[in-house]
Structures are given as structure tokens and as C-alpha cells.
Amino acid sequence: MQTTFSENWRQRRVAWQNAGLGLLTLLLLPSCHPAGTPDPAGPTTLRLLVEADATGGWAEVFEGFERENPGITVQAIEGPAATNTREDLYVTAFLSGGQIYDLVMADTVWIPKFAVAGWLADLTDKWSEEQWSRFLPGALEGSTFRGRIYRVPTQMDGGMLYYRRDLLEKAGESPPRSFDELRRLAWKLQSPSRLWGYVWQGRQYEGLVCNYLEVLRGYGGFWISNDGKTVGLDQPAARASLQFLVDTVGTISPGGVTTYSEEESRQLFQSGQAVFLRNWPYVYPLANRPDSPMRGKVGVVPLPAQPGGQSSATLGGWGLAIAQNSPHQEAAWKLLEYCARIPVAETLYRRAGLNPTLKEFYESSPDPMVRDLHRILRHTSPRPMVPQYAQASDILQRYLSSALTRRLTVPEALDGATRETRLLLHRP
Ligand code: GLC
């Protein structure tokens, strides 16, 4: 008997809490039917690896799809939280040559590598140009590589600065526009209220790169030029921006910030223990939920920039791609079409805080919170769209983390990162 998505979800959640084990399990599963030949008798199962769905937003979407499409089941396997770790699991699955996943819930930065490797179906001609233009330009940009579209974007992300509106108003201050101002305000407001001034994501993972890039651009610097040829990490702006982050540790940011990813920093802020937070849009609706102690007390503005630098929100986001080797291309596309509907976007936003990618969602919303988010998300900066992105990011993560934990000085760390990145990009 076919199980429903929710039954499946619960079973899988327990069985595959550890996604490494999950992958192994899938690799060892006896293959019911070889790649490329859909089972004509049985129902179609679409498999994908996802982030833990704590809010149940995606579960609701997949259940709705299953109700509308009897005979298609979605099997979402919960993987580890960090994007790069889930990426590794997808990569291992594709390199194994087996038909393990039908869909890829893909981060923006995975697209070039997965596209070059031939792992994703080219979706460009599935819709007309007009249909694709229903999406925000940033979301579409993050789904495109060398002019071809490989993903239906379902979540648009950009870094932003959250602040305690109540505390700033009480102190007669406005949100900071420069990093110097951020430091000053964090100091000023954290002491009397025994809070931390500024929380962000300092763990050694992809999120750290996103955080650093925003400060780096805010100081007028760059990581890798658009043509992928020049590395800017040995420039003064790169040093000044990393020094800014190093100096926050243990002063305006908790020492533990070097182990934080998105959720640790959100929880600290949402429980009222920090004045400023750098994070993605999903925090805004969550912080304003009826059960949140911060409801009505939170403001959001673009990230600061020093004079001469540029306020920058790292472009992030997620979307559904179809594995090139899936035997269920048609069923998979049905799901992608389903996920591009306004009610789905509303469910994901309402339940999980996932920021929609459809222009119409913003244009028709009377909610001031949605308009705030839209304003900030209009100016996002992509990470380098190079196929070697994962390696470049790994180099940067390692060296940034060494500086933040004071194993290397800022110049040592950035010189090391520059050297390794140049070697990587110029490797024939
Ligand atoms: C968010 C972004 C994603 C980014 C990740 C880093 O999930 O959407 O693009 O890579 O955070 O942690």
C-alpha cells in the first residue's frame, strides 16, 4: 500500500536522521528498476535530500501535491543543516552513478558545478521567457548558468541586518549605516541591557563566506572578479573587513559566534539576547510570530557599508532542480510547476518564513513586512558563478576561521587564502 507523504516523512525522519547513513542506505537498497526505465506498474516516487523541515512548511506543500497527483509520492530525506554538507551528499550520490535522487533541492551556489557536470536537466525551454519572468531577477540569476536555467527557484535569500527597534528608539538612535556605527551602537546598547551587541554566522561553513563577503563589499573590496581571473583577498579592504569581524569576537559578539550558523544566531536574537543580527529573510516572520518574545520589536535594514564601500546582501536561495538521470522527468516537472504557484509560496512563507521568489507575491501583499523584505532583496550580490566555487569557498572558510579563532593573523590568513585561490583558478 502506498504511504502518504506525512507517513513517509515521519518514517524517513527517524530512519535517516543521519544523512550519511541515509545515503549509504540508499546506495545499498536493491534497485527495483534500473535508471532510465520508470516502473510501469507501481506508483512514482520522487526522492530528494532536504534540510530538516522543522516547521513542516515543505511537508504541507508535498502533501498538497500528492493529493493533487495520486500515484506520485514525494520522499524527502532530511540531511544535515549546512548547505555544503548536503552538497557533498548529492555529489557523492551523482558520482556513484546510481539513480538515487530524482530532484535536487539546490542552493544557488551549487548550480554552476552541477550544471557543468551534467547532473541537472536543462529546464530553459520548459517555460516561455514570459513565464520565467514571473520570478525575481536575483532568484532567476541564481538558477542560471551560461544562459541556461536549471532550477525553479522557491526561496529567495539576501543577507540583512535585524535590529531591536525598541532599544534603538529608547536610546534615540537610528539603525547603523556603516560598520563603525554598528560597532559603536552595539557597544553602547549591549552594556546597560546585558545583551550581546551583534550576532552573525562565524562557523567554518558556507554561511561564513556569505557574512564575510557582505563586510568585504561594505569596505569596498572583492573576493574573485566577475571573470573569475583576479583574486582581491590581499587588498587593504579585505584586511580591514576581516579585522572588523575578528575584533567583534568576544567584544560585541559572543566568543561562541565562531561556532554559530543561522539558527544559533537567530535563537539568541529571537530570545531577546542580542541587539543586532545578520541573517536571511526567514528570521523576520519567525521573530514576529505570536509566540515570539520579539514580536513587534524587530526592524530590518540593508547591511552597513563604510564610506567608499557598498551595502551588499549576499544573494542566496534555494530551488528545485531535476536530476538528469531520473527516470521520472515528467512527474518531477509536475512538482516543479506545482511549487511555482502563489498558494505554495504563501504556505512556505507563512509556515517556514521562506521568502518567495514570485514577483506577484510582493506586488499583491498589503503586509509592510513583505514590502521591507522586497526593498532589501532588490539589491543582492551573487557569489562568484564559477564551477570551482565549492573549492574556492572551502579555502576561504578555512582561512577566515583560522583568523577568527586567532590561529593566524589577519594578513597571514588572507595571504594564504589568496595564494591557494590563485592556484585553484589558474589551474589548467
Ligand atoms: C542560506 C542561503 C544559501 C547559503 C546558505 C549559507 O540557506 O539561501 O544560498 O548558501 O544560507 O548558509
Short mmCIF file of all heavy atoms in Angstrom, two decimals, residues 51 83-84 107-109 155-157 205-208 210 262 280 315-318 383, ligand 1:
data_model
loop_
_atom_site.label_atom_id
_atom_site.label_comp_id
_atom_site.label_asym_id
_atom_site.label_seq_id
_atom_site.Cartn_x
_atom_site.Cartn_y
_atom_site.Cartn_z
N GLU A 51 16.87 20.03 3.72
CA GLU A 51 17.23 20.47 5.06
C GLU A 51 16.12 20.01 6.02
O GLU A 51 14.98 19.86 5.58
CB GLU A 51 17.29 22.00 5.05
CG GLU A 51 17.77 22.61 6.32
CD GLU A 51 17.91 24.13 6.20
OE1 GLU A 51 17.55 24.69 5.15
OE2 GLU A 51 18.39 24.74 7.15
N THR A 83 24.63 23.77 4.16
CA THR A 83 24.45 23.61 2.72
C THR A 83 25.58 22.81 2.08
O THR A 83 25.36 21.93 1.26
CB THR A 83 24.27 24.98 2.02
OG1 THR A 83 24.37 24.81 0.62
CG2 THR A 83 25.25 26.03 2.46
N ASN A 84 26.84 23.09 2.49
CA ASN A 84 27.96 22.41 1.82
C ASN A 84 28.00 20.93 2.16
O ASN A 84 28.46 20.12 1.37
CB ASN A 84 29.31 23.10 2.10
CG ASN A 84 29.41 23.73 3.46
OD1 ASN A 84 28.65 24.63 3.80
ND2 ASN A 84 30.33 23.23 4.25
N ASP A 107 20.97 24.82 -3.61
CA ASP A 107 21.43 26.17 -3.25
C ASP A 107 21.93 26.84 -4.53
O ASP A 107 22.47 26.18 -5.44
CB ASP A 107 22.59 26.02 -2.24
CG ASP A 107 23.00 27.33 -1.61
OD1 ASP A 107 22.63 28.39 -2.12
OD2 ASP A 107 23.73 27.27 -0.58
N THR A 108 21.80 28.16 -4.54
CA THR A 108 22.27 28.97 -5.66
C THR A 108 23.69 28.62 -6.10
O THR A 108 23.98 28.54 -7.29
CB THR A 108 22.27 30.45 -5.18
OG1 THR A 108 20.94 30.75 -4.76
CG2 THR A 108 22.76 31.42 -6.17
N VAL A 109 24.57 28.42 -5.09
CA VAL A 109 25.98 28.24 -5.44
C VAL A 109 26.31 26.84 -5.96
O VAL A 109 27.43 26.59 -6.39
CB VAL A 109 26.92 28.58 -4.25
CG1 VAL A 109 27.01 30.07 -4.06
CG2 VAL A 109 26.46 27.90 -2.96
N GLN A 155 12.90 29.85 -3.10
CA GLN A 155 13.21 30.66 -1.91
C GLN A 155 14.30 31.66 -2.27
O GLN A 155 15.34 31.28 -2.79
CB GLN A 155 13.71 29.73 -0.79
CG GLN A 155 14.15 30.44 0.45
CD GLN A 155 14.78 29.48 1.44
OE1 GLN A 155 14.60 28.26 1.37
NE2 GLN A 155 15.56 30.01 2.38
N MET A 156 14.02 32.92 -1.98
CA MET A 156 14.99 33.98 -2.32
C MET A 156 15.63 34.46 -1.02
O MET A 156 14.93 34.80 -0.07
CB MET A 156 14.21 35.12 -2.99
CG MET A 156 14.96 36.39 -3.15
SD MET A 156 15.99 36.31 -4.62
CE MET A 156 16.72 37.93 -4.59
N ASP A 157 16.94 34.50 -1.00
CA ASP A 157 17.63 34.95 0.19
C ASP A 157 18.58 36.10 -0.11
O ASP A 157 19.17 36.17 -1.19
CB ASP A 157 18.45 33.79 0.78
CG ASP A 157 17.64 32.93 1.74
OD1 ASP A 157 16.60 33.40 2.20
OD2 ASP A 157 18.07 31.80 2.02
N TYR A 205 31.91 27.33 7.57
CA TYR A 205 30.97 26.73 6.60
C TYR A 205 30.58 27.81 5.61
O TYR A 205 31.03 28.95 5.71
CB TYR A 205 29.75 26.11 7.31
CG TYR A 205 28.67 27.09 7.72
CD1 TYR A 205 27.35 26.93 7.29
CD2 TYR A 205 28.94 28.21 8.51
CE1 TYR A 205 26.35 27.82 7.63
CE2 TYR A 205 27.95 29.11 8.86
CZ TYR A 205 26.65 28.90 8.43
OH TYR A 205 25.68 29.80 8.77
N GLU A 206 29.72 27.47 4.67
CA GLU A 206 29.35 28.41 3.61
C GLU A 206 28.78 29.73 4.14
O GLU A 206 29.02 30.80 3.58
CB GLU A 206 28.34 27.73 2.68
CG GLU A 206 27.87 28.55 1.51
CD GLU A 206 29.00 28.95 0.58
OE1 GLU A 206 30.00 28.21 0.48
OE2 GLU A 206 28.88 30.03 -0.03
N GLY A 207 28.03 29.64 5.23
CA GLY A 207 27.42 30.86 5.78
C GLY A 207 28.47 31.90 6.16
O GLY A 207 28.23 33.11 6.05
N LEU A 208 29.64 31.44 6.62
CA LEU A 208 30.70 32.39 6.99
C LEU A 208 31.17 33.16 5.76
O LEU A 208 31.42 34.37 5.82
CB LEU A 208 31.87 31.61 7.63
CG LEU A 208 33.15 32.39 7.89
CD1 LEU A 208 32.91 33.60 8.80
CD2 LEU A 208 34.21 31.47 8.52
N CYS A 210 29.35 33.91 3.21
CA CYS A 210 28.29 34.90 2.91
C CYS A 210 28.44 36.13 3.81
O CYS A 210 28.36 37.27 3.34
CB CYS A 210 26.90 34.30 3.12
SG CYS A 210 26.58 32.88 2.08
N GLU A 262 23.15 29.82 11.05
CA GLU A 262 21.95 30.66 11.06
C GLU A 262 21.11 30.49 12.31
O GLU A 262 20.70 31.45 12.96
CB GLU A 262 21.09 30.37 9.83
CG GLU A 262 21.58 30.96 8.53
CD GLU A 262 22.67 30.12 7.88
OE1 GLU A 262 23.03 29.06 8.43
OE2 GLU A 262 23.18 30.52 6.82
N TRP A 280 19.27 35.87 7.21
CA TRP A 280 18.48 35.84 5.99
C TRP A 280 17.04 36.26 6.27
O TRP A 280 16.66 36.34 7.45
CB TRP A 280 18.51 34.42 5.40
CG TRP A 280 19.87 33.86 5.18
CD1 TRP A 280 20.50 32.96 5.98
CD2 TRP A 280 20.79 34.17 4.12
NE1 TRP A 280 21.76 32.66 5.47
CE2 TRP A 280 21.96 33.41 4.33
CE3 TRP A 280 20.75 35.02 3.02
CZ2 TRP A 280 23.06 33.45 3.49
CZ3 TRP A 280 21.85 35.07 2.18
CH2 TRP A 280 22.99 34.29 2.41
N LEU A 315 23.59 37.22 -2.34
CA LEU A 315 22.45 36.52 -2.95
C LEU A 315 22.49 35.05 -2.56
O LEU A 315 23.49 34.37 -2.72
CB LEU A 315 22.52 36.65 -4.47
CG LEU A 315 21.54 35.78 -5.26
CD1 LEU A 315 20.11 36.24 -5.04
CD2 LEU A 315 21.87 35.81 -6.75
N GLY A 316 21.39 34.61 -1.99
CA GLY A 316 21.28 33.20 -1.66
C GLY A 316 19.93 32.70 -2.08
O GLY A 316 19.13 33.45 -2.65
N GLY A 317 19.66 31.48 -1.80
CA GLY A 317 18.34 30.97 -2.10
C GLY A 317 18.37 29.55 -2.60
O GLY A 317 19.42 29.00 -2.91
N TRP A 318 17.17 29.00 -2.69
CA TRP A 318 17.01 27.57 -2.99
C TRP A 318 16.00 27.38 -4.09
O TRP A 318 15.18 28.25 -4.37
CB TRP A 318 16.57 26.86 -1.71
CG TRP A 318 17.65 26.92 -0.69
CD1 TRP A 318 17.90 27.97 0.17
CD2 TRP A 318 18.68 25.97 -0.47
NE1 TRP A 318 19.02 27.71 0.92
CE2 TRP A 318 19.52 26.48 0.55
CE3 TRP A 318 18.97 24.73 -1.03
CZ2 TRP A 318 20.63 25.80 1.02
CZ3 TRP A 318 20.08 24.04 -0.56
CH2 TRP A 318 20.91 24.57 0.46
N ARG A 383 27.45 35.33 -5.31
CA ARG A 383 28.80 34.80 -5.10
C ARG A 383 29.34 34.41 -6.47
O ARG A 383 28.56 34.26 -7.41
CB ARG A 383 28.70 33.58 -4.16
CG ARG A 383 28.53 33.98 -2.70
CD ARG A 383 27.98 32.86 -1.84
NE ARG A 383 26.53 32.79 -1.92
CZ ARG A 383 25.77 31.86 -1.34
NH1 ARG A 383 26.35 30.91 -0.65
NH2 ARG A 383 24.46 31.87 -1.45
C1 GLC B 1 21.07 30.25 3.01
C2 GLC B 1 21.17 30.71 1.57
C3 GLC B 1 22.18 29.92 0.81
C4 GLC B 1 23.51 29.98 1.52
C5 GLC B 1 23.36 29.45 2.94
C6 GLC B 1 24.65 29.60 3.73
O1 GLC B 1 20.48 29.00 3.07
O2 GLC B 1 19.92 30.62 0.93
O3 GLC B 1 22.31 30.42 -0.51
O4 GLC B 1 24.50 29.26 0.83
O5 GLC B 1 22.34 30.18 3.61
O6 GLC B 1 24.50 29.09 5.00
#
